[in-house]
Amino acid sequence: MRFLLLLALLIVSLHARASCTDQLIDNVKYSNEFTVPYILTSQNQSPQYVLILMPGGAGTLNPHINNEGKLQFDFAGNFLIRSRNRFCDSQFATASTNSTESPERMGALINDLGTRFPNAKICIVGTSRSTYSTMGLAEKFDGKIDCVVHTASMNQIARFDTRKFKSRHLMVHHKNDPCHLTTYASTQSNHERYKTPLITMDGGSSTGDACQAFSYHGFHDIEQQTIDQIKAWIKQ
């Protein structure tokens, strides 16, 4: 009986994930010259939460429709981008976009999401180098969004005082992150000094470059566990 129950839950979970679809939104303007293209990954038209996902590294997702009519984008292997369907369910939708520290660009995206989903809470989520963006945008959008999530944060997080903000902040880090630019000690220092909530992950596997997406730095092989904890915190 227990096996059948677990099997049923697994089937429901897989179905929920499979029913999430990607849609390119490329008509959001923040000036006369520039637009903010993003990938909307959603299951329905009334999510309770929308997470703006920004990749690390150079951060240029640049989603577009190619000559064959298919959605194409860079940084598909990045922790947040490859996990966008894992975040998505009946309560959560995601908006994957270029990493940015421009308040105008992010403001245009937030306004568009607010128009599409007026009852949803919005969170900005960055990983690795895009935590420069989450830290840089925090004050501008404080109180205008529900939360900011910093994953595998740059070492500068150690001096990022979150106590002054109205919007909630969360840090997520693998305890064995091997990247010298994103040490666990820096995140732990923030947690001890400023009391910013911290989710510490362990386990998984680590391959390739220490600062790339498939080492512990990118929560490789523990994506679902990491995401489940992030979503549980957001729903608190």
Side-chain angles (χ1 to χ4, degrees):
M1 179 63 71
R2 179 178 174 79
F3 171 77
L4 292 175
L5 177 59
L6 290 174
L7 180 61
L9 289 173
L10 176 61
I11 291 172
V12 169
S13 175
L14 291 174
H15 174 73
R17 225 177 284 156
S19 63
C20 289
T21 58
D22 287 333
Q23 177 186 0
L24 175 65
I25 308 297
D26 60 1
N27 60 352
V28 180
K29 293 186 176 182
Y30 68 101
S31 74
N32 292 331
E33 300 179 63
F34 302 108
T35 59
V36 188
Y38 68 93
I39 303 169
L40 177 63
T41 306
S42 61
Q43 187 181 105
N44 58 57
Q45 295 301 310
S46 55
Q48 296 178 39
Y49 309 92
V50 181
L51 311 184
I52 298 174
L53 307 180
M54 297 183 291
T60 49
L61 192 69
N62 285 339
H64 61 278
I65 301 298
N66 65 20
N67 293 333
E68 298 176 353
K70 296 181 180 180
L71 177 63
Q72 185 173 321
F73 51 93
D74 298 324
F75 286 91
N78 176 264
F79 162 59
L80 292 178
I81 306 307
R82 73 175 187 261
S83 300
R84 65 191 185 282
N85 279 289
R86 294 179 182 270
F87 279 107
C88 177
D89 59 24
S90 60
Q91 293 181 301
F92 284 81
T94 65
S96 302
T97 191
N98 289 6
S99 175
T100 182
E101 292 184 49
S102 165
E104 293 78 18
R105 193 180 197 282
M106 182 56 69
L109 176 52
I110 290 173
N111 288 340
D112 183 71
L113 293 172
T115 300
R116 292 176 186 274
F117 312 113
N119 297 317
K121 295 180 178 179
I122 296 175
C123 295
I124 299 176
V125 188
T127 194
S128 191
R129 192 173 294 275
S130 66
T131 58
Y132 281 139
S133 299
T134 54
M135 289 185 280
L137 294 169
E139 186 167 358
K140 176 66 177 180
F141 295 101
D142 187 40
K144 300 175 184 177
I145 59 174
D146 182 62
C147 64
V148 181
V149 181
H150 318 267
T151 74
S153 299
M154 303 300 291
N155 289 335
Q156 286 76 0
I157 198 79
R159 301 184 299 275
F160 183 63
D161 190 349
T162 59
R163 294 173 298 183
K164 61 183 178 180
F165 296 123
K166 298 176 183 177
S167 297
R168 300 181 298 150
H169 285 252
L170 171 69
M171 302 180 299
V172 184
H173 219 109
H174 197 292
K175 67 182 296 185
N176 295 317
D177 189 332
C179 182
H180 68 286
L181 299 171
T182 60
T183 61
Y184 177 70
S186 296
T187 301
Q188 191 173 38
S189 176
N190 179 298
H191 175 64
E192 293 172 354
R193 183 174 183 179
Y194 304 124
K195 309 306 179 186
T196 310
L198 169 62
I199 293 174
T200 298
M201 299 304 300
D202 195 7
S205 64
S206 192
T207 60
D209 188 287
C211 296
Q212 294 299 318
F214 294 98
S215 74
Y216 291 133
H217 175 69
F219 307 96
H220 187 219
D221 282 339
I222 55 168
E223 291 91 346
Q224 193 61 57
Q225 298 96 307
T226 306
I227 288 162
D228 287 346
Q229 292 202 46
I230 292 172
K231 290 166 67 175
W233 178 88
I234 289 173
K235 291 194 292 185
Q236 292 184 137

